[in-house]
């Protein structure tokens, strides 16, 4: 099985708690009891200088609330190494684009990354590789090469 950090990997995200959702700038934050998994395709690392703190890519399957959005999964304080592991736990944020760092907080803190635009869905859960996109093999080889350099 491919590692989580493999470009083109299809990663299933399974929420372990109620989703935190905000549909617009004037909308109240809602908590929704929906633990339905969704799948995103890894496009690359989330990086801050030399620190790789997560992965991002477009949502390709799952409930309608995620369609057309980008998922960012963020490493937690458990010491996991997504370059070799195919499953883990992660904080996740889904929105119109990948998250950006907010340097006022550690990236593991809920406020350590921000999403621009709406809707926004976030929480934490399990992440696991379930396959790869058809063109992932070429991208995976290039990604493995960049991970070792």
């Amino acid at each position: 099985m491919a590692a989580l950090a493999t470009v083109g990997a299809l990663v299933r995200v399974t929420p372990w708690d109620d989703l935190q959702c905000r549909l617009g700038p004037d909308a109240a934050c809602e908590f929704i009891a929906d633990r339905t998994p969704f799948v995103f395709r890894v496009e690359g690392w989330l990086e801050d200088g030399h620190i790789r703190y997560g992965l991002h890519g477009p949502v390709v399957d799952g409930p309608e609330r995620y369609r057309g959005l980008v998922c960012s999964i963020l490493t937690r304080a458990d010491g996991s190494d997504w370059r070799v592991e195919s499953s883990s736990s992660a904080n996740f944020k889904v929105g119109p684009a990948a998250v950006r760092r907010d340097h006022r907080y550690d990236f593991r803190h809920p406020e350590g990354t921000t999403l621009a635009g709406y809707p926004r869905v976030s929480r934490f859960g399990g992440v696991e590789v379930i396959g790869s996109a058809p063109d992932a093999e070429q991208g995976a080889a290039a990604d493995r090469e960049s991970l070792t350099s």
Side-chain angles (χ1 to χ4, degrees):
M1 185 62 59
L4 286 162
T6 303
V7 171
L10 298 174
V11 176
R12 179 173 45 222
V13 178
T14 304
W16 288 347
D17 201 358
D18 292 354
L19 300 173
Q20 183 176 351
C21 301
R22 191 158 179 212
L23 300 178
D26 298 325
C29 185
E30 298 179 47
F31 288 89
I32 300 171
D34 183 359
R35 291 172 179 76
T36 307
F38 63 93
V39 177
F40 80 98
R41 184 182 65 251
V42 174
E43 282 192 344
W45 284 100
L46 296 167
E47 297 179 280
D48 184 20
H50 67 282
I51 298 171
R52 290 179 167 173
Y53 63 92
L55 302 167
H56 68 91
V59 175
V60 296
D61 193 23
E64 187 64 33
R65 77 168 43 89
Y66 303 111
R67 299 294 169 102
L69 300 176
V70 174
C71 179
S72 299
I73 59 173
L74 311 163
T75 58
R76 300 183 76 184
D78 63 1
S80 41
D81 184 351
W82 292 354
R83 297 172 301 167
V84 295
E85 295 176 19
S86 60
S87 65
S88 188
S89 62
N91 295 323
F92 66 87
K93 294 184 178 183
V94 180
V99 297
R100 289 180 291 163
R101 283 281 290 118
D102 182 337
H103 291 96
R104 295 177 294 174
Y105 304 92
D106 183 86
F107 64 81
R108 291 174 280 270
H109 187 280
E111 302 298 322
T113 57
T114 60
L115 278 169
Y118 296 91
R120 300 175 181 174
V121 180
S122 62
R123 216 49 175 162
F124 63 93
V127 294
E128 67 180 313
V129 175
I130 59 168
S132 61
D135 60 349
E137 290 309 312
Q138 291 176 339
D143 190 52
R144 279 192 298 275
E145 195 171 299
S146 75
L147 290 173
T148 59
S149 56

